[in-house]
Amino acid sequence: MAENGQHPHDEIVRFGVSINRRLLDRFDRYLSEHGYTTRSEALRDLIRDHLADDLWEAGDGEVAGAVVLVYDHHRAGISDTLNALQHEFHGSILAATHVHLDEHFCLEVVILRGATATVRALAERLLAVRGVTHGRVVVTALGDALP
Ligand code: NI
C-alpha cells in the first residue's frame, strides 16, 4: 500500500491516443448510444472486456461466471446428461437454478467459479450437449487480472 492508501499500481495515469477522426466519431456515437458520459470510462470497460476474453481464450487465472441454457426436457437423456456433467464438475459449480418455461422448455442457470481452463471446459461441454437449443456463457476474471 502507498501512503495514500491506494495500491501503488492503482494510480491514475493519463495517456494520449492518436486516432483518425472517423473512428473517433464512431466511438463517440457508441458512447452516447450506450450511456457513457466520458471516453475514459468507455475505454476502461472495453479494455477489461477484451482482457477478460483474452484470459478466457488462453485458459489463464481464475474466473467466475454463469452459463445459461435453454433445452427441451422431452429430448431423450438430456436431463441426465446435464445432471451428470454438473456432478462431474461439482467443485466448480456454486449454484444452479432450473425454471420450467413451458410444457417443453427449461431454462437453467449454472453459476461457476474456478480455474479458467476447468470452468471453460465445463461451459463448453454444457453448451455442446445435444438438445440445448440456446446457450450463453458470461464470465469475469477474478483477483488482480482486471484492476
Ligand atoms: Ni424444466
Side-chain angles (χ1 to χ4, degrees), residues 1-135:
M1 288 292 216
E3 277 176 36
N4 60 8
Q6 284 187 321
H7 189 282
H9 300 293
D10 283 346
E11 68 171 306
I12 300 299
V13 178
R14 296 176 66 90
F15 66 100
V17 177
S18 302
I19 186 171
N20 75 59
R21 168 59 61 189
R22 287 180 55 211
L23 189 57
L24 186 60
D25 288 346
R26 285 286 300 274
F27 186 55
D28 286 342
R29 188 162 17 122
Y30 170 89
L31 264 58
S32 68
E33 285 168 0
H34 290 80
Y36 285 105
T37 53
T38 68
R39 287 175 179 155
S40 291
E41 186 57 28
L43 201 53
R44 285 191 290 268
D45 280 356
L46 290 175
I47 290 171
R48 289 191 192 102
D49 255 5
H50 187 82
L51 292 177
D53 286 349
D54 201 48
L55 289 168
W56 180 248
E57 293 301 324
D60 291 340
E62 262 207 304
V63 287
V67 177
V68 179
L69 304 164
V70 175
Y71 61 94
D72 183 344
H73 80 279
H74 289 122
R75 184 168 183 123
I78 190 165
S79 298
D80 286 345
T81 303
L82 291 171
N83 195 31
L85 255 178
Q86 292 183 49
H87 278 277
E88 184 183 336
F89 285 88
H90 66 90
S92 305
I93 296 178
L94 298 176
T97 298
H98 183 106
V99 176
H100 312 300
L101 292 177
D102 57 26
E103 290 84 352
H104 293 275
F105 286 98
C106 303
L107 172 81
E108 205 154 300
V109 181
V110 184
I111 302 173
L112 312 163
R113 178 180 182 154
T116 304
T118 308
V119 167
R120 185 176 153 189
L122 171 56
E124 287 176 349
R125 284 179 65 186
L126 286 169
L127 294 172
V129 169
R130 284 182 62 150
V132 171
T133 53
H134 192 205

